[in-house]
Amino acid sequence: GAATFSDQDSIKNTEAVNTCNALNIINGENGSFYPTRNVTRAEMCKMICVALNGGREPALATGIGSTFTDTVGHWASPYIEYCVREGVVGGIGGGLFDPNGAVTGTQAAKMLLVAMGYNASRQGYVGSNAWELNINGDAAKNGLYDGLETIDASAPLNRDNAAQIIYNALEATMVEYVYSAQTVDGTLTMVPTLKDKTYLVG
């Protein structure tokens, strides 16, 4: 059955919240869900790690050190480091990650797109002035904003909408880059093409 929170009536994305709660991706606290509370960058890393691990706490390396000066000793440090290794997140510059800062819809979408197989630098999510357009275009194409058409993607993402965007990502198709040899300017080059990931059934 669906979990009933004391603040159930103020949850908009009920199915997404119930699914994310059942998968341990976003849990309530003391019987409440707190749908309007903003999600931090650290929390989003944890949610993605659990989602990628099928709803279980991933076995994360401990004592691997921190890439960022402001994540040392932070509760989410192992999750953040996992996401850094996977290319899911980067810092905000100056050796900082801002773990307790609010994550925006666009930032959350970028993290989920990379988790789905997109390459952040190849897709122009980083190192481009059009990074927001690039992320939001791929996010819309993959249905990540389904049910969230009214949100401001550049504003902080609350727990209710985070559940929806993660739920949408869980429903989306994973992608992969398939390389083929092509002649570019007289030189044989391996050119990547983005394709839906097809799973080989044993």
Side-chain angles (χ1 to χ4, degrees):
T4 307
F5 297 103
S6 58
D7 48 9
Q8 190 73 37
D9 292 346
S10 53
I11 296 172
K12 295 188 195 74
N13 305 306
T14 316
E15 189 182 0
V17 167
N18 290 341
T19 301
C20 285
N21 184 60
L23 288 172
N24 292 312
I25 297 169
I26 313 183
N27 299 116
E29 263 173 69
N30 312 319
S32 298
F33 184 73
Y34 303 107
T36 58
R37 190 186 284 171
N38 289 340
V39 175
T40 67
R41 290 165 53 80
E43 287 168 344
M44 193 70 199
C45 288
K46 182 190 177 184
M47 291 172 189
I48 285 179
C49 286
V50 175
L52 285 173
N53 203 44
R56 290 177 307 281
E57 276 287 324
L60 296 168
T62 48
I64 48 176
S66 288
T67 303
F68 309 104
T69 53
D70 59 353
T71 59
V72 178
H74 192 281
W75 68 266
S77 186
Y79 300 108
I80 294 166
E81 291 306 314
Y82 175 84
C83 288
V84 170
R85 278 204 310 279
E86 294 294 315
V88 168
V89 292
I92 58 164
L96 301 173
F97 182 72
D98 190 22
N100 302 322
V103 76
T104 66
T106 306
Q107 289 168 349
K110 178 244 175 184
M111 293 160 76
L112 289 164
L113 286 165
V114 174
M116 287 163 52
Y118 286 88
N119 179 294
S121 51
R122 188 172 290 140
Q123 299 298 123
Y125 303 163
V126 289
S128 159
N129 291 337
W131 64 274
E132 284 186 284
L133 283 173
N134 295 335
I135 292 166
N136 290 333
D138 283 348
K141 191 170 68 185
N142 284 279
L144 294 192
Y145 291 139
D146 288 3
L148 297 171
E149 288 79 7
T150 58
I151 73 161
D152 173 359
S154 60
L157 188 69
N158 67 32
R159 287 165 51 85
D160 200 337
N161 293 336
Q164 186 66 50
I165 199 170
I166 292 169
Y167 177 77
N168 291 341
L170 293 172
E171 303 273 298
T173 308
M174 302 285 277
V175 297
E176 60 189 339
Y177 293 90
V178 178
Y179 289 85
S180 58
Q182 292 175 23
T183 305
V184 180
D185 296 332
T187 312
L188 197 63
T189 313
M190 293 303 281
V191 178
T193 312
L194 205 52
K195 296 230 163 67
D196 285 350
K197 202 164 192 172
T198 44
Y199 296 95
L200 295 172
V201 181

